[in-house]
């Protein structure tokens, strides 16, 4: 599945997102605080709502939540036909809990519920970071029936812990009588940022330049092997009989960070069943123009 890693009021009102759905087969959207910060800082699309919120006397954090959830709600509505056609597999829009909650389990659980209730759409994914403190929050949020996009995964070890948190959440949901057939989740593994760090370390030790640009894809490939193994067990089979869905790997950070690499590198090399690739529009258009499957 191809998802867009971007959202703004202008993208919604201009018809840009609708065009990408129709012409580029985009079936979902991911957002993060950095994306929304850029959107809020440019143009005048938010001026009217900001003025109204200022008049009502709300604080900055409340205003930001109001602005971002409004965009996400509208995007969810735009993707409803995709959501219905794919029976909930795609047509998803993600919104992330505040970065300051990354080490606050209870705060993450509370805000995940708040965001889900405020957006009020079934095709929402709440993004929770895969920190140690985030893992039990993922379990609790899944157990409550809320679909989750687990973000900021860099290692195979943490990826396996994320899958465990998801399965445990499903099992708790079953115990609480929650319909797990309505729960979806993706696990977002970051790709280009891994290469950026490894390449920097290779430069520091000198030589081995032939290894540059290989680690991100290798890491993702091994994580995909873990995915096939972890969801081919009696434990998951029992959950699947009750309506559970696999937590799909999502390839994130797929725009290249180095001019030395092909601009479609992290798309063409990562096409696999039951995966999502969320990419910036520049990468999306590059692949539409000259991308090939590796």
């Amino acid at each position: 599945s191809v998802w867009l890693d971007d959202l703004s009021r202008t993208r919604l009102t201009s018809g840009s997102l609708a065009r990408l759905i129709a012409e580029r087969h985009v079936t979902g959207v991911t957002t993060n605080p950095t994306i929304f910060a850029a959107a809020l800082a440019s143009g005048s699309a938010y001026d009217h709502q900001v003025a109204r919120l200022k008049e009502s006397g709300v604080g900055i954090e409340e205003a930001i939540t109001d602005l971002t959830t409004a965009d996400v709600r509208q995007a969810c509505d735009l993707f409803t036909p995709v959501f219905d056609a794919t029976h909930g597999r795609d047509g998803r829009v993600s919104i992330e809990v505040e970065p300051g909650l990354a080490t606050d389990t209870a705060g993450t659980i509370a805000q995940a519920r708040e965001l889900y209730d405020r957006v009020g759409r079934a095709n929402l994914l709440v993004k929770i970071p895969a920190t140690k403190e985030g893992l039990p929050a993922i379990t609790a949020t899944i157990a409550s029936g809320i679909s989750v996009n687990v973000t900021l995964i860099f290692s195979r070890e943490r990826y396996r812990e994320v899958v465990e948190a998801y399965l445990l959440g499903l099992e708790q949901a079953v115990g609480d009588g929650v319909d797990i057939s309505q729960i979806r989740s993706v696990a977002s593994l970051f790709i280009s940022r891994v290469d950026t760090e490894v390449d920097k370390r290779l430069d520091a030790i000198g030589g081995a330049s032939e290894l540059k640009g290989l680690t991100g894809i290798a890491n993702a490939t091994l994580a995909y092997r873990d995915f096939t193994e972890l969801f081919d067990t009696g434990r998951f089979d029992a959950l699947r009989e009750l309506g559970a869905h696999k937590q799909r790997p999502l390839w994130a950070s797929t725009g290249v960070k180095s001019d030395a690499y092909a601009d479609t590198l992290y798309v063409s090399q990562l096409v696999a069943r039951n995966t999502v690739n969320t990419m910036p529009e520049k990468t999306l258009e590059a692949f539409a123009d000259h991308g090939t499957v590796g």
Side-chain angles (χ1 to χ4, degrees):
S1 298
V2 175
W3 293 3
L4 179 71
D5 190 28
D6 188 48
L7 183 64
S8 68
R9 186 71 52 86
T10 299
R11 190 177 285 284
L12 288 162
T13 57
S14 68
S16 167
L17 183 56
R19 179 188 67 81
L20 292 175
I21 294 171
E23 299 178 7
R24 293 291 184 248
H25 309 290
V26 169
T27 59
V29 158
T30 53
T31 69
N32 59 50
T34 301
I35 287 172
F36 274 129
L40 292 169
S42 62
S44 59
Y46 296 93
D47 288 357
H48 177 74
Q49 189 177 358
V50 169
R52 177 177 58 79
L53 290 168
K54 183 177 180 180
E55 290 177 2
S56 65
V58 303
I60 293 177
E61 289 187 2
E62 173 66 17
I64 291 173
T65 300
D66 195 85
L67 292 165
T68 56
T69 53
D71 281 359
V72 168
R73 187 181 305 109
Q74 187 175 345
C76 283
D77 290 342
L78 187 61
F79 277 103
T80 294
V82 177
F83 178 76
D84 291 341
T86 61
H87 305 288
R89 177 182 176 86
D90 285 305
R92 297 282 178 171
V93 182
S94 297
I95 188 170
E96 190 166 341
V97 299
E98 295 174 14
L101 296 174
T103 58
D104 182 349
T105 300
T108 297
I109 294 169
Q111 190 170 85
R113 169 55 66 179
E114 177 192 359
L115 291 172
Y116 180 78
D117 290 342
R118 288 188 68 146
V119 174
R121 298 294 186 271
N123 52 337
L124 180 74
L125 289 173
V126 177
K127 290 179 80 172
I128 297 177
T131 57
K132 279 293 187 182
E133 297 83 359
L135 294 174
I138 293 161
T139 294
T141 303
I142 290 291
S144 71
I146 297 174
S147 296
V148 173
N149 176 343
V150 183
T151 190
L152 294 172
I153 306 171
F154 296 93
S155 71
R156 291 177 64 198
E157 292 77 13
R158 185 53 54 87
Y159 171 66
R160 295 179 76 93
E161 291 176 322
V162 165
V163 173
E164 172 62 26
Y166 173 63
L167 294 175
L168 185 57
L170 290 177
E171 289 164 346
Q172 292 182 8
V174 170
D176 293 338
V178 175
D179 180 5
I180 61 174
S181 70
Q182 301 304 305
I183 300 172
R184 296 279 185 165
S185 184
V186 293
S188 298
L189 291 103
F190 280 55
I191 312 300
S192 67
R193 293 188 192 181
V194 171
D195 275 338
T196 299
E197 180 62 24
V198 172
D199 288 358
K200 182 175 68 175
R201 297 188 186 193
L202 289 172
D203 285 337
I205 64 174
S209 60
E210 70 276 7
L211 298 178
K212 286 186 176 181
L214 300 179
T215 309
I217 292 173
N219 195 47
T221 301
L222 292 171
Y224 186 76
R225 182 186 298 174
D226 293 336
F227 161 72
T228 59
E229 172 192 320
L230 294 169
F231 287 96
D232 186 21
T233 64
R235 180 185 185 186
F236 182 71
D237 287 344
L239 290 166
R240 180 165 47 195
E241 290 180 2
L242 298 173
H245 305 281
K246 295 179 180 179
Q247 181 187 54
R248 289 193 289 169
L250 181 150
W251 314 131
S253 184
T254 55
V256 296
K257 302 295 192 293
S258 170
D259 293 337
Y261 305 141
D263 54 5
T264 61
L265 174 66
Y266 301 121
V267 181
S268 63
Q269 297 296 315
L270 292 172
V271 178
R273 288 178 58 84
N274 290 316
T275 63
V276 178
N277 193 313
T278 182
M279 61 192 80
E281 185 175 11
K282 181 179 179 181
T283 303
L284 176 71
E285 293 296 348
F287 191 79
D289 178 64
H290 54 266
T292 58
V293 177

